[in-house]
Amino acid sequence: MDISTQIIWLFILSIPISCISWSVTHEEIFREPREWCVKNAANGRTLLIRKAFYLFTCEYCFSHYVTIFFIIFSDYKLLLDDWRGYIIAGFSLVFVANIYMSLFGLLRQAIKKEKVEIKKIETEEEHISQS
């Protein structure tokens, strides 16, 4: 695979990695299992148990395991065609996926801020019109 194709794969393969990592660690559909993992991460008997459950609450940590799955699934290597290519690909995919998640988080934060500001303006206008 030539380098331009590898770069395209890097940016495209990072999309499902970030999507899965973000969804499991932030979205409402996974809230109950995540809360259970948070509880076990805080109250686990051993360090290994606490860290194992913590992996499902941190998007950065979880993205490493999702990346491993996708590297095995796609046989993606970056720059080198041996085992070193898998390692380079793994850390590169995690890096790009976390950039995507950070940008998504900032976008969601900006949207929430706008919604709050709009609600405040509507409330003030409603209060003025009632006066």
Side-chain angles (χ1 to χ4, degrees):
M1 189 180 327
D2 67 335
I3 190 69
S4 59
T5 306
Q6 290 178 6
I7 299 299
I8 291 169
W9 270 75
L10 172 66
F11 286 98
I12 292 176
L13 203 52
S14 296
I15 294 170
I17 292 169
S18 61
C19 180
I20 292 167
S21 299
W22 181 273
S23 296
V24 169
T25 59
H26 288 85
E27 296 303 329
E28 184 65 23
I29 193 163
F30 293 104
R31 183 174 51 85
E32 290 84 4
R34 186 174 50 253
E35 287 174 354
W36 181 73
C37 288
V38 167
K39 186 182 89 174
N40 285 303
N43 302 322
R45 291 184 184 190
T46 66
L47 178 66
L48 183 62
I49 289 173
R50 289 192 302 272
K51 297 306 175 191
F53 282 105
Y54 181 75
L55 294 175
F56 296 97
T57 65
C58 167
E59 72 269 6
Y60 176 75
C61 303
F62 191 62
S63 68
H64 285 78
Y65 294 94
V66 177
T67 297
I68 291 169
F69 169 78
F70 272 92
I71 286 176
I72 292 168
F73 178 73
S74 67
D75 194 35
Y76 175 66
K77 296 176 216 136
L78 186 60
L79 300 178
L80 305 169
D81 282 331
D82 58 5
W83 62 270
R84 297 172 298 171
Y86 290 121
I87 293 173
I88 294 168
F91 287 111
S92 300
L93 286 167
V94 167
F95 180 78
V96 174
N98 278 280
I99 289 172
Y100 289 165
M101 286 187 282
S102 296
L103 292 173
F104 183 69
L106 289 172
L107 178 64
R108 284 185 60 157
Q109 187 178 31
I111 291 169
K112 282 184 180 182
K113 181 181 177 188
E114 281 186 31
K115 284 182 180 180
V116 168
E117 289 172 352
I118 290 169
K119 184 93 166 160
K120 181 181 176 186
I121 291 169
E122 288 174 348
T123 305
E124 288 174 357
E125 287 177 359
E126 189 176 293
H127 179 67
I128 290 171
S129 66
Q130 289 178 355
S131 298

